[in-house]
Amino acid sequence: MSAETLVDRFVTAVIAASDYTATDHIYLVNRVLNIVGEGHQQPAPDTDELIDLKDALVAVAVANGKVGDTQNERDAVGAELMNFITPAPSIVNRHFWDTYQHAPQEALADFFALSKRNDYIKTRAIAKNIAFTHPSEYGDIEITINLSKPEKDPKQIALAKKVKATGYPKCNLCMENEGYQGRVDHAARANHRIIRFKIDDHEWGFQYSPYAYFNEHCIYLDSVHEEMVINGTTFKNLLTIVQQFPGYFAGSNADLPIVGGSILSHEHYQGGRHTFAMEKAPLETRLVFADYEDVTAGIVKWPMSVIRLNGDDLDRVSALAAKILDVWRNYTDEAVGVRAETNGERHHTITPIARMRNGQYELDLVLRDNQTSPKYPDGIFHPHKEYQHIKKENIGLIEVMGLAILPPRLKDELAVVADYIQGKNVQVAAYHQQWADDIKARHTDVTAENAMAIVQDEVGAVFVKVLECAGVFKRDAVGQQAFMRFAQQVGLKE
């Protein structure tokens, strides 16, 4: 079957999935040939699925020398092909907001469906992730071994070093990514669309995450490229967003290294339609703050240090949150190793998560401290060394809420551990050895059928320990007394 027939089949699928008509067929064929080339012959896959046909056409483009064989170059061709079924940004926005006027949930569903259909959300890659849960005293903790993001290609890294930096777009979250062709050192975004919305007359963008970690994982991004910051405005913004986007939560990574997210250079939040274990966790200590009796408050039963606020008034909830942040920024308790700053470096911030619950505004404030020490050079309130064989990266927003994002190396490494605890003669990675020996000693009923389930449960137990490491006020009596001392500084009502 010729490349032209493959192109014809792709174009037919494009017409079926877009506003193009049969009259546009020849035009579309020629535009596709311009992208993939005319010389190479390749059989078309026996499918009418657009993404399969797109993948086959990318292979044609590589064979014809129209594009290099690095992942970013292939992705650029793929995104350009899927752009044929993606309406212009103005049309996408008009449809979203016209639908939103009478059916906000339908508007979200339509935009989500488009983002999957045009392969902006990498559903097939996401399906490769390994996911399981771990029952704990804090609820069912979720674990994901992230296999969706492609490994860095050595060829791509080498080529990227030769590319002269343009500074455009400034980062992967800038609005200038919408429709950007991509290059060897920057992701392809030809099929990317952003919904515009306003917070206090300032423009923001709403998009979905290409490599989603949970249902309808989305990003809310500032239209201006400015560094992330957590302040009183952050809390107002988050509460405004969850009021505008029904059924979605909105949260922000912290704004300091070690406890912050991977992108601190661009103000943005994350959200989606997912219920995390932390949201289900109950209040275990009620708090009533003076002058804020109308805002329900309490300490959440969670491995990290969380204060939850609920109220009917957005401004009142955000005002109390701002007061808690102000006190925390300057709070020191040497008895438990909590320090606001050392040598002029500030250590305290908050990871906030907003949602609507039973018609009220709800805000979880997770206290963060990014100190280091000779004993804990990676961070005192960071995964400690004995747990870094499972998780050594920052504990960001998603992990804070009870969903572990673990590195792809664990897929094969855990399989070896599962063999090892069955008594097979295998070589366990050195950094897993003590852990594997401990599992083997504690489990005498290991079989081929239950070995991996045992290992996965042990991974979940390690992640709970990681979250406890990140808690600034520990779960013991000393830590909880210290937590109450902090609450008193905020202004507990007598």
Side-chain angles (χ1 to χ4, degrees):
M1 186 173 290
S2 69
E4 286 76 17
T5 303
L6 169 58
V7 171
D8 281 333
R9 185 176 294 185
F10 176 77
V11 166
T12 298
V14 165
I15 290 170
S18 68
D19 291 333
Y20 287 112
T21 70
T23 306
D24 302 308
H25 191 98
I26 294 173
Y27 161 82
L28 288 170
V29 165
N30 287 325
R31 300 321 304 155
V32 172
L33 287 174
N34 178 65
I35 295 170
V36 305
E38 303 177 45
H40 182 71
Q41 304 290 314
Q42 174 170 311
D46 186 20
T47 178
D48 293 322
E49 288 290 330
L50 257 172
I51 295 176
D52 291 331
L53 296 169
K54 177 265 296 181
D55 289 342
L57 285 171
V58 170
V60 170
V62 172
N64 283 334
K66 295 288 285 187
V67 66
D69 197 21
T70 67
Q71 187 64 49
N72 269 18
E73 291 170 300
R74 294 171 66 92
D75 285 348
V77 173
E80 191 173 5
L81 290 168
M82 297 310 284
N83 190 43
F84 284 115
I85 69 161
T86 310
S90 58
I91 296 173
V92 172
N93 274 264
R94 183 168 67 244
H95 175 79
F96 182 92
W97 289 113
D98 284 351
T99 305
Y100 183 95
Q101 297 307 311
H102 61 86
Q105 296 283 12
E106 184 180 338
L108 289 167
D110 287 351
F111 184 49
F112 183 57
L114 170 66
S115 300
K116 290 189 294 182
R117 189 167 62 249
N118 76 352
D119 201 39
Y120 182 73
I121 298 176
K122 304 297 183 183
T123 55
R124 297 185 181 193
I126 294 165
K128 298 176 184 177
N129 291 341
I130 297 171
F132 51 94
T133 59
H134 168 72
S136 78
E137 63 175 298
Y138 308 109
D140 288 339
I141 302 298
E142 298 172 278
I143 310 293
T144 296
I145 298 176
N146 179 27
L147 303 175
S148 58
K149 286 189 178 180
E151 297 284 345
K152 289 187 177 180
D153 184 341
K155 293 184 295 182
Q156 184 170 305
I157 294 171
L159 287 171
K161 290 179 179 178
K162 299 177 183 179
V163 174
K164 185 178 180 181
T166 66
Y168 180 88
K170 290 186 177 71
C171 77
N172 285 326
L173 289 178
C174 286
M175 284 196 170
E176 286 79 7
N177 284 280
E178 188 176 44
Y180 189 68
Q181 182 66 20
R183 54 183 191 266
V184 71
D185 64 335
H186 195 96
R189 292 291 182 261
N191 57 338
H192 176 37
R193 299 294 182 266
I194 300 172
I195 300 299
R196 272 67 170 177
F197 70 101
K198 294 287 184 71
I199 302 178
D200 291 335
D201 293 325
H202 181 72
E203 186 173 72
W204 282 72
F206 163 71
Q207 66 182 60
Y208 287 103
S209 174
Y211 295 99
Y213 293 133
F214 49 84
N215 187 40
E216 298 182 45
H217 183 181
C218 64
I219 300 169
Y220 315 96
L221 55 104
D222 196 326
S223 61
V224 179
H225 180 78
E226 292 182 343
E227 290 187 359
M228 284 185 62
V229 62
I230 301 294
N231 56 26
T233 301
T234 304
F235 307 132
K236 279 190 170 184
N237 288 349
L238 293 173
L239 293 170
T240 299
I241 286 170
V242 297
Q243 193 276 329
Q244 288 192 52
F245 294 84
Y248 280 21
F249 78 90
S252 176
N253 271 304
D255 58 347
L256 292 177
I258 298 178
V259 297
S262 58
I263 300 179
L264 298 180
S265 62
H266 193 118
E267 181 72 284
H268 71 286
Y269 313 129
Q270 296 184 66
R273 193 185 303 277
H274 186 73
T275 303
F276 294 86
M278 191 174 78
E279 179 179 344
K280 299 176 187 177
L283 294 183
E284 60 180 359
T285 304
R286 295 280 178 175
L287 305 172
V288 179
F289 292 105
D291 300 323
Y292 291 94
E293 293 86 354
D294 55 324
V295 179
T296 302
I299 296 172
V300 180
K301 184 181 179 182
W302 193 245
M304 297 181 71
S305 305
V306 186
I307 295 176
R308 177 172 294 161
L309 308 179
N310 291 84
D312 295 320
D313 189 313
L314 182 155
D315 290 331
R316 293 288 291 164
V317 173
S318 58
L320 178 52
K323 182 177 182 181
I324 291 170
L325 174 63
D326 287 343
V327 174
W328 178 241
R329 288 247 194 244
N330 301 289
Y331 186 77
T332 293
D333 188 340
E334 290 287 352
V336 288
V338 168
R339 300 174 185 88
E341 63 89 28
T342 54
N343 300 320
E345 178 188 358
R346 69 182 181 94
H347 295 307
H348 287 176
T349 187
I350 281 176
T351 299
I353 301 100
R355 61 185 77 90
M356 299 296 297
R357 191 196 292 263
N358 300 324
Q360 286 194 321
Y361 296 100
E362 182 166 281
L363 194 57
D364 282 351
L365 305 173
V366 188
L367 307 181
R368 310 302 302 274
D369 183 318
N370 79 341
Q371 289 182 80
T372 60
S373 70
K375 183 178 179 180
Y376 299 114
D378 298 320
I380 297 173
F381 304 102
H382 180 79
H384 290 173
K385 194 71 174 178
E386 62 266 34
Y387 307 124
Q388 290 184 7
H389 64 105
I390 296 297
K391 176 71 174 177
K392 63 181 180 180
E393 298 80 11
N394 291 7
I395 301 305
L397 170 68
I398 298 170
E399 283 92 357
V400 162
M401 295 184 290
L403 171 56
I405 310 298
L406 302 182
R409 63 177 171 83
L410 288 175
K411 177 187 177 184
D412 294 335
E413 293 175 3
L414 296 183
V416 174
V417 173
D419 286 342
Y420 180 78
I421 66 173
Q422 294 175 62
K424 295 182 181 179
N425 185 22
V426 294
Q427 185 64 50
V428 174
Y431 45 75
H432 288 311
Q433 189 65 62
Q434 183 176 342
W435 179 63
D437 286 336
D438 180 57
I439 297 172
K440 190 175 183 180
R442 288 187 289 103
H443 293 274
T444 58
D445 57 344
V446 181
T447 66
E449 288 72 28
N450 69 8
M452 182 53 74
I454 289 171
V455 172
Q456 289 180 344
D457 192 57
E458 295 286 349
V459 168
V462 170
F463 183 64
V464 171
K465 293 293 186 184
V466 163
L467 292 180
E468 290 174 344
C469 288
V472 294
F473 297 120
K474 301 307 180 187
R475 297 284 302 164
D476 58 17
V478 171
Q480 291 307 291
Q481 289 167 8
F483 205 158
M484 291 303 295
R485 288 198 295 274
F486 168 71
Q488 288 166 356
Q489 286 296 307
V490 176
L492 284 181
K493 188 175 181 180
E494 298 296 334

Coordinates of all heavy atoms in Angstrom, one line a residue, residues 111-112 115-116 119-123 126 148-149 173 189 192-193 206-220 269-271 398:
F111 N -13.8 20.1 26.0 CA -12.4 20.5 25.9 C -11.5 19.3 26.2 O -10.5 19.1 25.6 CB -12.1 21.7 26.7 CG -10.7 22.2 26.6 CD1 -10.2 22.5 25.3 CD2 -10.0 22.5 27.7 CE1 -8.9 23.0 25.2 CE2 -8.7 23.0 27.5 CZ -8.2 23.3 26.3
F112 N -11.9 18.5 27.2 CA -11.1 17.4 27.6 C -11.1 16.3 26.5 O -10.1 15.8 26.1 CB -11.7 16.8 28.9 CG -10.9 15.6 29.4 CD1 -9.6 15.7 29.7 CD2 -11.6 14.4 29.6 CE1 -8.9 14.6 30.2 CE2 -10.9 13.3 30.1 CZ -9.5 13.4 30.4
S115 N -8.8 17.4 23.7 CA -7.4 17.3 24.0 C -7.0 15.9 24.0 O -5.8 15.6 23.8 CB -7.2 17.9 25.4 OG -7.6 19.3 25.4
K116 N -7.9 14.9 24.2 CA -7.5 13.5 24.0 C -7.6 13.1 22.5 O -6.7 12.4 22.0 CB -8.5 12.6 24.8 CG -8.3 12.7 26.3 CD -9.1 11.7 27.0 CE -10.6 11.9 26.9 NZ -11.4 10.9 27.6
D119 N -4.6 14.0 20.4 CA -3.4 13.5 20.9 C -2.5 14.5 21.7 O -1.3 14.2 21.9 CB -2.6 12.8 19.8 CG -1.5 11.8 20.3 OD1 -1.9 11.1 21.2 OD2 -0.4 11.8 19.7
Y120 N -3.1 15.6 22.1 CA -2.4 16.5 23.0 C -2.2 15.8 24.4 O -1.1 15.8 25.0 CB -3.0 17.8 23.2 CG -2.2 18.7 24.1 CD1 -1.0 19.3 23.6 CD2 -2.6 19.0 25.4 CE1 -0.2 20.1 24.4 CE2 -1.8 19.8 26.2 CZ -0.6 20.3 25.7 OH 0.2 21.1 26.5
I121 N -3.3 15.2 24.9 CA -3.1 14.3 26.1 C -2.7 12.9 25.6 O -3.4 12.3 24.8 CB -4.5 14.2 26.8 CG1 -4.9 15.6 27.3 CG2 -4.4 13.2 28.0 CD1 -6.3 15.6 28.0
K122 N -1.6 12.5 26.0 CA -1.0 11.3 25.5 C -1.6 10.0 26.2 O -1.0 9.4 27.0 CB 0.5 11.3 25.7 CG 1.2 12.5 25.1 CD 1.1 12.5 23.6 CE 1.8 13.7 22.9 NZ 1.6 13.7 21.5
T123 N -2.8 9.7 25.8 CA -3.6 8.7 26.5 C -2.9 7.3 26.4 O -2.9 6.5 27.3 CB -5.0 8.6 25.9 OG1 -4.9 8.4 24.5 CG2 -5.8 9.9 26.2
I126 N 0.1 7.3 28.7 CA -0.4 7.3 30.1 C -0.8 5.9 30.5 O -0.6 5.5 31.7 CB -1.5 8.3 30.3 CG1 -1.0 9.7 30.1 CG2 -2.2 8.2 31.6 CD1 -2.1 10.8 29.9
S148 N 5.0 7.0 31.3 CA 4.4 7.7 30.2 C 5.4 8.7 29.5 O 5.4 8.7 28.2 CB 3.1 8.5 30.6 OG 3.4 9.4 31.6
K149 N 6.1 9.4 30.2 CA 7.1 10.4 29.6 C 8.2 9.6 29.0 O 8.9 8.8 29.6 CB 7.6 11.4 30.6 CG 6.5 12.4 31.0 CD 7.2 13.5 31.9 CE 6.1 14.6 32.2 NZ 6.7 15.7 33.0
L173 N 5.4 26.5 30.0 CA 4.1 26.9 30.5 C 3.6 28.2 29.9 O 2.5 28.6 30.1 CB 4.1 27.0 32.0 CG 4.2 25.7 32.7 CD1 4.2 25.9 34.2 CD2 3.0 24.7 32.4
R189 N 4.0 21.8 20.1 CA 2.7 22.2 20.6 C 1.8 22.7 19.5 O 0.9 23.6 19.7 CB 2.9 23.4 21.6 CG 3.6 22.9 22.9 CD 2.7 22.0 23.7 NE 3.3 21.6 25.0 CZ 3.9 20.5 25.2 NH1 4.0 19.6 24.2 NH2 4.3 20.1 26.4
H192 N -1.8 22.2 20.5 CA -2.1 22.7 21.8 C -3.0 23.9 21.8 O -2.9 24.8 21.0 CB -0.7 23.1 22.5 CG -0.8 23.7 23.8 ND1 -1.7 23.3 24.8 CD2 -0.1 24.7 24.4 CE1 -1.6 24.0 25.9 NE2 -0.6 24.8 25.7
R193 N -4.0 23.8 22.7 CA -5.0 24.9 22.9 C -5.2 25.3 24.3 O -5.1 24.4 25.2 CB -6.4 24.5 22.3 CG -6.3 24.2 20.8 CD -5.9 25.4 19.9 NE -5.9 25.1 18.5 CZ -4.9 24.8 17.8 NH1 -3.7 24.6 18.4 NH2 -4.9 24.5 16.5
F206 N -6.1 28.0 30.9 CA -6.5 26.7 31.4 C -6.2 25.7 30.3 O -6.7 25.8 29.2 CB -8.0 26.7 31.8 CG -8.6 25.3 31.9 CD1 -8.3 24.5 33.0 CD2 -9.5 24.9 31.0 CE1 -8.9 23.3 33.1 CE2 -10.1 23.6 31.1 CZ -9.8 22.8 32.2
Q207 N -5.5 24.6 30.6 CA -5.2 23.6 29.7 C -5.1 22.3 30.4 O -5.0 22.2 31.6 CB -3.8 23.9 29.0 CG -2.6 23.8 30.0 CD -1.3 24.2 29.4 OE1 -1.1 25.3 28.9 NE2 -0.4 23.2 29.4
Y208 N -5.0 21.2 29.7 CA -4.8 19.9 30.3 C -3.3 19.5 30.2 O -2.6 20.1 29.4 CB -5.7 18.8 29.6 CG -7.1 19.0 30.0 CD1 -8.0 19.6 29.1 CD2 -7.6 18.6 31.2 CE1 -9.4 19.8 29.5 CE2 -8.9 18.8 31.6 CZ -9.8 19.4 30.7 OH -11.1 19.6 31.1
S209 N -2.9 18.6 31.1 CA -1.6 18.2 31.1 C -1.4 17.0 30.1 O -2.1 16.1 30.1 CB -1.2 17.6 32.5 OG 0.1 17.1 32.6
P210 N -0.3 17.1 29.3 CA -0.1 16.1 28.2 C 0.1 14.7 28.9 O -0.3 13.7 28.3 CB 1.1 16.6 27.5 CG 1.2 18.0 27.8 CD 0.7 18.2 29.1
Y211 N 0.8 14.7 30.0 CA 1.1 13.4 30.6 C 0.4 13.4 32.0 O 1.0 13.5 33.0 CB 2.6 13.2 30.8 CG 3.3 13.1 29.4 CD1 3.9 14.2 28.9 CD2 3.3 11.9 28.7 CE1 4.5 14.1 27.6 CE2 3.9 11.8 27.5 CZ 4.5 12.9 26.9 OH 5.1 12.7 25.7
A212 N -0.9 13.2 32.0 CA -1.7 13.3 33.2 C -1.4 12.3 34.2 O -1.2 11.1 33.9 CB -3.2 13.2 32.8
Y213 N -1.4 12.7 35.5 CA -1.1 11.8 36.6 C -2.4 11.3 37.2 O -2.4 10.4 38.1 CB -0.2 12.4 37.6 CG 1.2 12.7 37.1 CD1 1.8 13.9 37.3 CD2 1.9 11.7 36.5 CE1 3.1 14.2 36.9 CE2 3.2 12.0 36.0 CZ 3.8 13.2 36.3 OH 5.0 13.4 35.8
F214 N -3.6 11.9 36.9 CA -4.9 11.6 37.4 C -5.9 12.1 36.5 O -5.6 12.8 35.5 CB -5.0 12.1 38.9 CG -4.7 13.6 39.0 CD1 -5.6 14.6 38.7 CD2 -3.4 14.0 39.4 CE1 -5.2 15.9 38.7 CE2 -3.0 15.3 39.5 CZ -4.0 16.3 39.2
N215 N -7.2 11.8 36.8 CA -8.3 12.2 35.9 C -8.4 13.7 35.7 O -8.5 14.5 36.6 CB -9.6 11.6 36.5 CG -10.8 11.8 35.5 OD1 -10.6 11.6 34.3 ND2 -11.9 12.1 36.1
E216 N -8.4 14.0 34.4 CA -8.6 15.4 33.9 C -7.6 16.3 34.6 O -7.9 17.5 34.9 CB -10.0 15.9 34.2 CG -11.0 15.1 33.4 CD -12.5 15.5 33.6 OE1 -12.7 16.7 33.5 OE2 -13.4 14.6 33.8
H217 N -6.4 15.8 34.7 CA -5.2 16.6 35.2 C -5.0 17.9 34.4 O -4.8 17.8 33.2 CB -4.0 15.7 35.2 CG -2.8 16.4 35.8 ND1 -1.5 15.7 35.9 CD2 -2.6 17.6 36.4 CE1 -0.7 16.5 36.5 NE2 -1.2 17.7 36.8
C218 N -5.1 19.0 35.0 CA -5.1 20.3 34.2 C -4.1 21.3 34.9 O -3.6 21.1 36.0 CB -6.5 20.9 34.1 SG -7.2 21.4 35.7
I219 N -3.9 22.3 34.1 CA -2.9 23.4 34.6 C -3.6 24.7 34.4 O -4.2 25.0 33.3 CB -1.6 23.3 33.8 CG1 -0.9 22.0 34.0 CG2 -0.7 24.5 34.2 CD1 0.3 21.8 33.1
Y220 N -3.6 25.6 35.4 CA -4.0 26.9 35.3 C -2.8 27.8 35.3 O -2.0 27.8 36.2 CB -4.9 27.3 36.5 CG -5.9 26.3 36.9 CD1 -5.7 25.4 37.9 CD2 -7.2 26.2 36.2 CE1 -6.6 24.4 38.3 CE2 -8.1 25.3 36.6 CZ -7.8 24.4 37.6 OH -8.8 23.4 38.0
Y269 N -0.9 26.9 38.6 CA -1.5 25.9 39.6 C -1.8 24.7 38.8 O -1.9 24.6 37.6 CB -2.7 26.5 40.2 CG -2.6 28.0 40.7 CD1 -3.5 28.9 40.3 CD2 -1.5 28.3 41.5 CE1 -3.4 30.3 40.8 CE2 -1.4 29.6 42.0 CZ -2.3 30.6 41.6 OH -2.2 31.9 42.0
Q270 N -2.2 23.6 39.6 CA -2.6 22.4 38.9 C -4.0 22.0 39.5 O -4.4 22.5 40.5 CB -1.7 21.2 39.3 CG -0.3 21.4 38.7 CD 0.6 20.2 38.9 OE1 0.3 19.1 38.4 NE2 1.6 20.4 39.7
G271 N -4.7 21.2 38.7 CA -6.1 20.8 39.2 C -6.5 19.6 38.5 O -5.8 18.9 37.8
I398 N 1.2 17.0 44.1 CA 0.5 15.8 43.9 C 0.9 14.7 45.0 O 0.0 14.1 45.5 CB 0.8 15.2 42.5 CG1 0.3 16.2 41.4 CG2 0.2 13.9 42.3 CD1 0.7 15.9 40.0

